[in-house]
Amino acid sequence: MLRRLDKIRFRGHKRDDFLDLAESPNASDTEGGDEIPLKMPRTSPRDGEELRDPAGPGTLIMAAGVQDFNRTEFDRLNEIKGHLEIALLEKHFLQEELRKLREETNAEMLRQELDRERQRRMELEQKIQEVLKPRAEEQTAQQPPKGQAQANNGADRRSQGLCARVQKWFSERFGEYVEDFRFQPEESAVETDEPLSARRLTENMRRLKRGAKPVTSFVKNLSALSDWYSVYTSAIAFTVYMNAVWHGWAIPMFLFLAILRLSLNYLIARGWRIQWSIVPEVSEAVEPPKEDLTVSEKFQLVLDVAQKAQNLFGKMADILEKIKNLFMWVQPEITQKLYIALWAAFLASCFLPYRLVGLAVGLYAGIKFFLIDFIFKRCPRLRAKYDTPYIIWKSLPTDPQLKERSSAAVSRRLQTASSRSYVSSAPAGLSKDEDTGRFHGTKKGNFHEIFNLTENERPLAVCENGWRCCLINRDRKMPTDYIRNGVLYVTENYLCFESSKSGSSKRNKVIKLVDITDIQKYKVLSVLPGTGMGIAVSTPSTQKPLVFGAMAHRDEAFETILSQYTKITAAAASGSDS
């Protein structure tokens, strides 16, 4: 044991050059954390007295021998401990070096690749042997004599040389084209989504507008031709088109116009200033993008772009949904007309000559585009009665319209059923007006009982279900009284606010329309863009105006309150004058 430890000691470094074993990251509790307990012999007072006793010299010699023995054992144990520490430290450093070497060389991956290559090589050797075996058997079975074999070898060499030259020439000439027809698996590229950015969104909208400008200008020019914006241009176009259709030159005419348009575009790209447009183009002022924008300006910019994108996507969705509903028999009477027209066109194409069919279609398209559409655009009532494509397109519903129709039909059925049940259960001699005024109620009870009003006071038809909002009373100090969530109603003479919190009717607010001194639209938070979502109402009883904020239908509520307020004030003024 001591010899092995001596070998380890002379192989490693000095003990002073290493860190303490407790600071080693891989040192465990069992490797270097525990110290070897040394049992020191305890001497009792009697032993001390005997050692100090001069009368016993033998005991002193024995005590000195015991101490020397203990000292030598202690030194040996310390030496063994040092050797162990050195061995553990060497182990730790060797493990670290091995780990670094494995990380640098990736020995495991190399070993796996080497195993795969070996396996592939063995498979190829096996396949080659399988292919060569039958050939060797055939050659041994069909070996001719030596003279014939030499003659055959010369002919084979010449034929092999000729085949090699032909193959080489073919690969040089057509090898690249043959490689193009090699089938390869399609690689699906993963596109990364860009993060939302106000500047990027605005730039994309401008790019879309610039890209769609040629299409929109072409549509404007066609519309100007149909509207006879320039009488001479429309007359010339009508005459040329009808002559081309009559003589069978319609398709060459359109091809010539396309070539002419490309030629003009080439000259414009070369720097020529050519303007070939019926409608004069109006150059729009392009605002330079600002570098430093505030938070409110960025928010407003995003809202503007989002509104434009919403309207554009809405129009595109309406067109696509109408086309889909036309072909899906959503309205059978409209799709039936298309069905009959397609059958008529099919039979005409089967039995009539193509020249006659093309002449009829071309003449109808020219007369419809240049004359009939001009009359229909100038006379909307005629268009609403006799323009069949326009009537079909306008009567086609979109998906939201279909949902509204179905929901309205369901609510109408429920309303008729409830009215029948209510008429059967209502007391006799009660009129319809009294019935609606008496039994109209909110979620918590009858309307007139909630606000302590007369029975004939009920919400207007516009706000029968009320407008959800929050009442901001700045005269109050407590936060619970400062803001209240609820519903706002407008009656013939009152402005009623019902609090959503359960409790007494003291939380509700009733304002006479006659007592209102001022009413205006209000913006609660000036930081947010837009005109706000609140209505401020001033009365003599409040020092600061009452604000009904966070109202989604603010404009509708403001118009209703203002119209009812002007009606009440006008009636009061006329009554005072009389």
Side-chain angles (χ1 to χ4, degrees):
M1 179 68 184
L2 292 176
R3 291 177 182 176
R4 292 182 65 185
L5 291 175
D6 289 335
K7 290 181 182 180
I8 295 173
R9 179 183 179 185
F10 287 110
R11 185 179 60 186
H13 302 281
K14 294 181 180 180
R15 185 175 179 271
D16 299 333
D17 296 339
F18 297 100
L19 299 173
D20 191 4
L21 198 61
E23 298 178 358
S24 177
N26 292 339
S28 61
D29 295 338
T30 59
E31 288 181 344
D34 296 338
E35 294 184 357
I36 300 173
L38 300 175
K39 295 182 180 181
M40 297 293 295
R42 296 182 180 179
T43 57
S44 60
R46 292 180 181 179
D47 296 336
E49 290 177 359
E50 291 178 356
L51 290 172
R52 288 191 299 267
D53 191 5
T59 56
L60 291 175
I61 294 169
M62 290 178 64
V66 170
Q67 289 179 1
D68 293 337
F69 178 76
N70 291 334
R71 191 180 296 111
T72 54
E73 288 292 328
F74 184 73
D75 294 338
R76 288 180 181 179
L77 290 175
N78 285 335
E79 188 178 0
I80 292 171
K81 182 180 177 183
H83 289 313
L84 289 174
E85 289 179 358
I86 292 169
L88 292 174
L89 285 171
E90 283 188 352
K91 177 185 175 183
H92 168 67
F93 287 121
L94 289 174
Q95 288 178 352
E96 289 292 328
E97 290 179 1
L98 182 60
R99 183 177 60 81
K100 289 179 181 179
L101 289 173
R102 286 178 178 175
E103 291 178 356
E104 291 176 358
T105 57
N106 293 326
E108 294 295 331
M109 294 178 63
L110 293 174
R111 188 180 295 108
Q112 292 177 1
E113 291 181 1
L114 184 60
D115 294 338
R116 285 196 296 268
E117 292 295 333
R118 287 175 180 173
Q119 187 176 1
R120 193 179 302 170
R121 183 178 59 81
M122 293 173 63
E123 292 177 357
L124 290 175
E125 288 179 355
Q126 186 176 1
K127 289 181 180 179
I128 290 171
Q129 290 178 1
E130 291 177 357
V131 171
L132 292 176
K133 278 182 180 179
R135 290 185 180 179
E137 292 175 357
E138 290 177 0
Q139 289 178 0
T140 54
Q142 298 179 358
Q143 276 188 356
K146 292 184 179 181
Q148 187 179 358
Q150 291 177 358
N152 292 335
N153 288 334
D156 291 340
R157 287 175 184 175
R158 286 194 296 270
S159 62
Q160 286 178 1
L162 180 61
C163 292
R165 277 180 287 176
V166 171
Q167 187 177 2
K168 184 179 180 181
W169 177 83
F170 184 80
S171 62
E172 289 177 355
R173 293 285 183 178
F174 305 102
E176 184 178 357
Y177 302 104
V178 172
E179 288 293 329
D180 294 339
F181 287 94
R182 180 173 293 179
F183 292 98
Q184 293 180 356
E186 186 178 359
E187 297 180 358
S188 58
V190 180
E191 297 182 358
T192 57
D193 295 333
E194 297 183 1
L196 181 62
S197 173
R199 186 174 300 172
R200 187 68 175 173
L201 184 61
T202 310
E203 183 63 26
N204 288 339
M205 289 298 296
R206 289 175 181 170
R207 288 172 54 199
L208 179 63
K209 190 175 181 181
R210 289 194 298 267
K213 189 176 180 180
V215 180
T216 55
S217 62
F218 177 73
V219 173
K220 285 180 182 179
N221 288 327
L222 285 181
S223 180
L225 276 178
S226 178
D227 294 340
W228 294 74
Y229 182 84
S230 176
V231 180
Y232 297 105
T233 306
S234 297
I236 293 171
F238 178 68
T239 306
V240 171
Y241 175 78
M242 296 302 287
N243 284 325
V245 171
W246 183 260
H247 293 92
W249 297 340
I251 295 176
M253 182 192 66
F254 286 121
L255 294 175
F256 175 74
L257 289 176
I259 294 170
L260 182 61
R261 181 73 254 186
L262 285 176
S263 303
L264 290 175
N265 290 339
Y266 174 77
L267 295 177
I268 292 171
R270 287 294 181 181
W272 290 43
R273 294 183 179 180
I274 300 173
Q275 184 178 0
W276 188 37
S277 177
I278 302 172
V279 182
E281 296 183 358
V282 180
S283 60
E284 298 179 357
V286 180
E287 297 180 358
K290 298 180 181 180
E291 296 295 334
D292 297 331
L293 296 175
T294 60
V295 178
S296 59
E297 289 177 349
K298 288 182 180 180
F299 191 71
Q300 183 65 37
L301 183 63
V302 172
L303 285 180
D304 294 339
V305 176
Q307 184 179 5
K308 292 179 182 178
Q310 171 189 336
N311 298 333
L312 177 62
F313 293 156
K315 292 178 182 178
M316 294 173 63
D318 290 342
I319 295 171
L320 295 176
E321 287 174 357
K322 284 187 176 184
I323 295 172
K324 185 256 296 182
N325 293 332
L326 174 63
F327 287 97
M328 293 303 296
W329 293 84
V330 175
Q331 283 192 343
E333 62 276 6
I334 296 176
T335 312
Q336 186 178 2
K337 296 178 181 179
L338 176 64
Y339 190 71
I340 295 172
L342 290 176
W343 269 109
F346 172 72
L347 294 175
S349 65
C350 290
F351 297 103
L352 296 178
Y354 284 103
R355 182 178 178 81
L356 182 61
V357 174
L359 179 62
V361 172
L363 291 176
Y364 172 75
I367 295 170
K368 177 77 168 61
F369 181 78
F370 285 99
L371 299 178
I372 298 176
D373 286 348
F374 174 74
I375 296 172
F376 281 156
K377 288 179 181 178
R378 293 295 184 274
C379 304
R381 297 182 65 180
L382 283 176
R383 187 175 192 178
K385 289 182 179 179
Y386 302 108
D387 193 359
T388 305
Y390 176 78
I391 295 170
I392 289 175
W393 183 256
K394 287 295 181 182
S395 58
L396 281 172
T398 59
D399 290 347
Q401 291 175 354
L402 290 175
K403 290 181 181 179
E404 289 179 1
R405 290 179 186 178
S406 60
S407 61
V410 171
S411 62
R412 199 179 299 114
R413 292 196 205 99
L414 294 175
Q415 188 176 2
T416 53
S418 61
S419 61
R420 288 174 185 173
S421 61
Y422 173 72
V423 167
S424 61
S425 62
L430 191 65
S431 63
K432 185 177 180 180
D433 295 337
E434 293 176 354
D435 176 26
T436 55
R438 185 182 300 275
F439 290 95
H440 181 87
T442 62
K443 294 181 180 179
K444 298 180 181 179
N446 294 332
F447 186 83
H448 66 278
E449 294 178 356
I450 293 293
F451 297 103
N452 296 324
L453 301 175
T454 57
E455 294 183 358
N456 58 354
E457 288 289 341
R458 58 182 181 272
L460 300 178
V462 181
C463 60
E464 188 174 1
N465 296 323
W467 298 294
R468 296 198 63 83
C469 63
C470 63
L471 175 60
I472 302 173
N473 191 354
R474 299 184 177 180
D475 293 338
R476 301 299 179 93
K477 302 295 183 181
M478 296 296 293
T480 55
D481 297 333
Y482 186 80
I483 298 177
R484 301 178 193 170
N485 295 320
V487 184
L488 181 66
Y489 299 94
V490 181
T491 65
E492 294 288 338
N493 302 304
Y494 294 95
L495 189 66
C496 305
F497 176 79
E498 181 185 4
S499 178
S500 60
K501 291 184 179 181
S502 59
S504 61
S505 60
K506 293 181 180 180
R507 294 183 176 272
N508 302 332
K509 190 73 176 178
V510 179
I511 303 171
K512 286 186 177 181
L513 294 176
V514 183
D515 296 340
I516 295 176
T517 58
D518 185 22
I519 177 173
Q520 59 183 351
K521 296 180 181 180
Y522 188 77
K523 187 176 180 180
V524 180
L525 296 175
S526 59
V527 180
L528 297 178
T531 58
M533 299 174 64
I535 299 174
V537 178
S538 300
T539 57
S541 61
T542 57
Q543 297 179 359
K544 297 179 181 180
L546 298 173
V547 178
F548 299 96
M551 191 179 297
H553 303 279
R554 193 274 304 272
D555 296 335
E556 181 184 2
F558 180 78
E559 295 295 333
T560 305
I561 297 170
L562 185 61
S563 62
Q564 194 66 23
Y565 171 72
T566 53
K567 180 180 177 182
I568 292 296
T569 52
S574 62
S576 61
D577 292 340
S578 63

